[in-house]
């Protein structure tokens, strides 16, 4: 399941399920010559680091093997990070791995509309809901 998780992570790197989230500055913060005053909200975004060459070489390529190496803290953020990290992270990981395992090993499936357009609003999703044909593999 190691490679399956690498594929899932790479999918969430390229198309993160959330755009980002907010944090509130509990003190004045100096960052890159700017002051973020106490009480201000800061928006962190997944795309900010997921598509940054500094953290992911050749970021537009789908390359699950990149997760063989460890990733810098707070660079890969589909589940957020820090004290408010997604509380369901481990459950989501388990569900993804079990789902992909059974779909791949027990079923044959294909896309009904292989050229289905992807709509961005604000996150990408298949415009027709990605209908598939699926049937159990014969033993
Ligand atoms: C692929 C599936 C999921 C993704 C991508 C996801 C992503 C996220 C993200 C990005 C956050 C915000 C983290 C932050 O602000 O640093 C979050 C928070 C949270 N998630 Fe998930 N989540 C997933 C599944 C789940 C599941 C299955 C559960 C519960 C069964 C869950 C429960 C929560 C809760 C309770 C929080 C709020 C945590 C807090 O504020 O302390 N999530 N999730």
């Amino acid at each position: 399941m190691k490679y399956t998780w690498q594929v899932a992570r790479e999918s969430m790197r390229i198309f993160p399920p959330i755009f980002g989230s907010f944090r509130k500055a509990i003190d004045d913060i100096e960052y890159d010559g700017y002051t973020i005053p106490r009480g201000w909200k800061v928006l962190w975004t997944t795309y900010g680091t997921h598509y940054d060459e500094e953290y992911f070489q050749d970021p537009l390529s789908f390359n699950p093997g990149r997760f063989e190496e460890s990733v810098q803290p707070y660079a890969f953020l589909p589940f957020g990070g820090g004290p408010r990290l997604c509380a369901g992270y481990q459950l989501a990981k388990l569900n993804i791995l079990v789902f992909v395992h059974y779909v791949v090993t027990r079923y044959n499936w294909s896309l009904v509309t292989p050229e289905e357009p992807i709509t961005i609003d604000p996150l990408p999703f298949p415009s027709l809901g990605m209908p598939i044909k699926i049937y159990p593999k014969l033993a």
Side-chain angles (χ1 to χ4, degrees):
M1 296 244 176
K2 186 179 160 199
Y3 187 68
T4 308
W5 187 232
Q6 288 179 2
V7 170
R9 295 181 85 201
E10 180 67 340
S11 305
M12 290 188 282
R13 182 187 69 79
I14 293 193
F15 296 118
I18 68 151
F19 182 83
S21 184
F22 289 97
R23 293 289 189 269
K24 188 174 174 181
I26 55 173
D27 277 312
D28 288 355
I29 298 168
E30 297 300 324
Y31 181 76
D32 207 18
Y34 295 91
T35 303
I36 301 167
R38 180 172 180 232
W40 277 33
K41 289 261 176 88
V42 178
L43 171 68
W44 60 264
T45 67
T46 43
Y47 286 89
T49 47
H50 289 196
Y51 282 69
D52 188 332
E53 291 259 5
E54 189 181 336
Y55 306 107
F56 298 100
Q57 259 184 16
D58 194 10
L60 297 180
S61 298
F62 184 79
N63 173 19
R66 68 172 82 244
F67 285 101
E68 285 289 336
E69 310 291 328
S70 59
V71 176
Q72 279 195 43
Y74 298 103
F76 177 67
L77 297 163
F79 294 97
R84 306 312 293 256
L85 175 78
C86 173
Y89 170 67
Q90 290 298 338
L91 177 62
K93 177 179 177 180
L94 190 67
N95 281 342
I96 291 167
L97 291 176
V98 170
F99 175 79
V100 173
H101 172 79
Y102 281 107
V103 166
V104 169
T105 59
R106 301 275 179 96
Y107 297 90
N108 287 314
W109 64 276
S110 60
L111 296 168
V112 172
T113 317
E115 300 304 320
E116 178 179 355
I118 302 294
T119 309
I120 313 261
D121 181 27
L123 296 173
F125 67 93
S127 56
L128 304 175
M130 205 181 100
I132 59 170
K133 283 184 264 184
I134 185 164
Y135 45 94
K137 285 183 177 170
L138 298 175

